[in-house]
Amino acid sequence: MELFYHPLSRYSQKVLLAFYEKQVNFYPRIIELSDPYSRNRFTQQYPSGKLPLLKTRSAKLLPESTIIIEYIDHQFATGTQLIPTDFEHALQVRLCDRIIDNDVSNKLYTLERMQTRVEQVPLKIKQLENEIHASFQSLNEQLSHYHWLCGDAFTMADCALIPCIMGARKRFKLYQFDQLVRYLHQAETRGSWIQVQQEIELAKTTALIGFRPIP
């Protein structure tokens, strides 16, 4: 299988976490969308140009982080089971995954984009910050009942949440949320996240020296 992604993308990090948890081998294809050559080669294969993208062993193209994780969890019995077999528990995991993507990850992305604009809209920025803060409050309450987000076991919901928490900890006062802080610390020592973090640091280093990865 080939995974097209970029280590600095939260949705790519989400999928990388799943791959490392499942202990599944894949060919890494790092795509630098800001590089015209890299972007052109990728869009020739996948016109929408969205990351991450999985090319299965049968050459089927699977976009969307959640779909990719559902696929590898179904196809491979190795490592961590990311989606429980029990229907009610699986439903909870899928629900949390969607809430995190829509209410946290996407809003963090919008917030980051707004802050790079020459003409910022302070009221809109504050509104987004308040909405994300409210989501963190809700997640903090949920984590007061569980070790991981949906229970004692690591799931797809954690793959979605960890990159968001790691990316938001400098902007938001996470120390206000005792359970989120506890969760962050245990995530930092998780082997799968350590592997993802190594890729993040390498990507930051190559970006600083002007290197553009080519697929």
Side-chain angles (χ1 to χ4, degrees), residues 32-44 213-215:
E32 179 55 72
L33 293 176
S34 64
D35 178 78
Y37 179 69
S38 178
R39 185 185 188 93
N40 183 59
R41 287 191 62 186
F42 181 56
T43 54
Q44 285 179 4
I214 301 297

Side-chain angles (χ1 to χ4, degrees), residues 37-62:
Y37 179 69
S38 178
R39 185 185 188 93
N40 183 59
R41 287 191 62 186
F42 181 56
T43 54
Q44 285 179 4
Q45 182 170 194
Y46 189 63
S48 76
K50 290 181 65 178
L51 297 174
L53 177 74
L54 180 67
K55 186 176 183 179
T56 69
R57 288 178 292 191
S58 62
K60 184 176 182 179
L61 298 178
L62 291 179

Side-chain angles (χ1 to χ4, degrees), residues 117-128:
R117 295 176 183 172
V118 176
E119 295 184 6
Q120 296 187 9
V121 186
L123 194 61
K124 180 61 176 177
I125 289 174
K126 187 62 177 178
Q127 179 185 344
L128 280 169

Side-chain angles (χ1 to χ4, degrees), residues 146-164:
Y146 301 120
H147 182 65
W148 292 104
L149 188 56
C150 293
D152 292 333
F154 190 100
T155 68
M156 176 171 67
D158 299 295
C159 293
L161 179 57
I162 290 172
C164 295

Side-chain angles (χ1 to χ4, degrees), residues 43-92:
T43 54
Q44 285 179 4
Q45 182 170 194
Y46 189 63
S48 76
K50 290 181 65 178
L51 297 174
L53 177 74
L54 180 67
K55 186 176 183 179
T56 69
R57 288 178 292 191
S58 62
K60 184 176 182 179
L61 298 178
L62 291 179
E64 302 296 335
S65 58
T66 297
I67 298 301
I68 294 171
I69 294 173
E70 290 254 10
Y71 175 80
I72 64 171
D73 199 52
H74 175 74
Q75 291 290 322
F76 300 93
T78 55
T80 305
Q81 184 172 356
L82 298 172
I83 302 170
T85 54
D86 174 73
F87 175 77
E88 293 296 334
H89 193 188
L91 192 64
Q92 180 192 22

